[in-house]
Amino acid sequence: MTTPWFPYPPAAPPRPLRLFCLPPAGGGASGYRTWIGAFGPDVEVVPVQLPGRENRLHERPAGSAAELADRLVAPVLGRAGDRFAVFGHSMGAILAHDLTHRLCAAGRPPEHLIVSAHRAPQLAARRRWDRPAAEMSGDDLRGYLADRAGTPREVLDLPELMDLVLPVLRADLALCQSYQDTARTPLPVPLSAFGGADDPEAGAGELAAWSDRTSAGFRMRLLAGGHGYLFEDVPAVHAALRAALADPPKPRPVAAGSS
């Protein structure tokens, strides 16, 4: 059964682990459509559809990450089953992080949080942008899609499609620009940070800072490519994610005599 949040039907037969996938700025659930069925018999990929895009074009895009995280808790728990994990790329990473905090507060933490191509949230305020999203022109937004999202030129040259995509992208960029991290207890959830080795948006040090957001084990993995590495060498990405899901990071052992 599909819902606005999850436009693709559940796997049949059900698989042991469900991986909820949150999109980057301007993206929709269809960005993960080719992932469905690619993780073998043990993992069901569940692309998440946010308001304002694709089958939810008639809805207003969310104004903040907090709003989205609050609204996602009930749908995710309704689809989660016994075992689930959360993944988010770029903007989706901070949404996945905030959602995981709320799931923990609800007593249903995921067994693994995987963030991709986004600096740790405590560093978000230091990020530099060309200009506020509200002031960005259509050409600015198309440039963002070309340079930072890896959108093909043939897609960018479709005026009817851009008329639908650019308002959502502007709203998502405004969401990212207004995001403010708050002091929170580290998550009791294993956390993996993935990124592109040549990504100017989230370098190795900025990904490594995610280690401060968990008390349950951290691992970082860099793959070939830039900010859009996720959709470049897809088989390599799938292999790395399958390995991460099969073997989540574990807490470091406390040395004898340490306090």
Side-chain angles (χ1 to χ4, degrees):
M1 184 175 181
T2 63
T3 75
W5 293 101
F6 313 123
Y8 302 109
R15 294 172 184 172
L17 177 68
R18 290 169 188 170
L19 177 64
F20 293 92
C21 296
L22 290 151
S30 64
Y32 295 113
R33 185 171 186 174
T34 60
W35 291 29
I36 297 173
F39 284 66
D42 295 328
V43 179
E44 176 186 353
V45 171
V46 184
V48 177
Q49 191 75 285
L50 303 180
R53 60 213 77 203
E54 297 179 354
N55 62 305
R56 304 184 72 177
L57 271 175
H58 61 286
E59 299 181 47
R60 176 187 63 85
S64 70
E67 176 191 339
L68 275 174
D70 287 340
R71 293 177 64 186
L72 270 166
V73 171
V76 166
L77 292 182
R79 181 76 179 265
D82 293 333
R83 298 176 55 215
F84 70 102
V86 180
F87 172 87
H89 178 69
S90 194
M91 177 189 77
I94 57 173
L95 298 180
H97 170 260
D98 284 15
L99 171 62
T100 298
H101 270 284
R102 285 157 174 78
L103 292 167
C104 290
R108 286 293 314 276
E111 65 180 56
H112 198 168
L113 168 62
I114 306 177
V115 297
S116 169
H118 199 289
R119 62 172 63 196
Q122 68 269 25
L123 307 180
R126 297 195 293 115
R127 182 168 181 170
R128 295 181 178 179
W129 294 83
D130 298 328
R131 60 178 66 97
E135 299 176 8
M136 294 175 73
S137 68
D139 286 341
D140 292 331
L141 294 171
R142 280 186 286 270
Y144 180 97
L145 289 173
D147 298 337
R148 300 180 184 178
T151 305
R153 173 56 59 184
E154 57 268 24
V155 173
L156 297 173
D157 290 339
L158 295 174
E160 298 84 359
L161 181 59
M162 288 298 100
D163 287 344
L164 299 175
V165 169
L166 296 188
V168 176
L169 176 60
R170 189 187 303 278
D172 286 351
L173 293 180
L175 180 154
C176 294
Q177 290 173 340
S178 64
Y179 181 81
Q180 293 187 352
D181 187 40
T182 56
R184 287 177 276 196
T185 303
L187 289 163
V189 174
L191 195 159
S192 294
F194 278 63
D198 300 316
D199 184 0
E201 301 288 329
E206 294 162 324
L207 289 172
W210 280 98
S211 63
D212 294 338
R213 311 310 295 223
T214 177
S215 61
F218 173 78
R219 185 182 297 135
M220 184 176 75
R221 175 74 185 271
L222 296 179
L223 298 172
H227 192 67
Y229 82 94
L230 197 71
F231 305 107
E232 295 172 6
D233 188 349
V234 174
V237 170
H238 288 173
L241 286 173
R242 281 196 300 269
L245 290 168
D247 181 26
K250 299 173 178 61
R252 293 180 180 178
V254 178
S258 64
S259 57

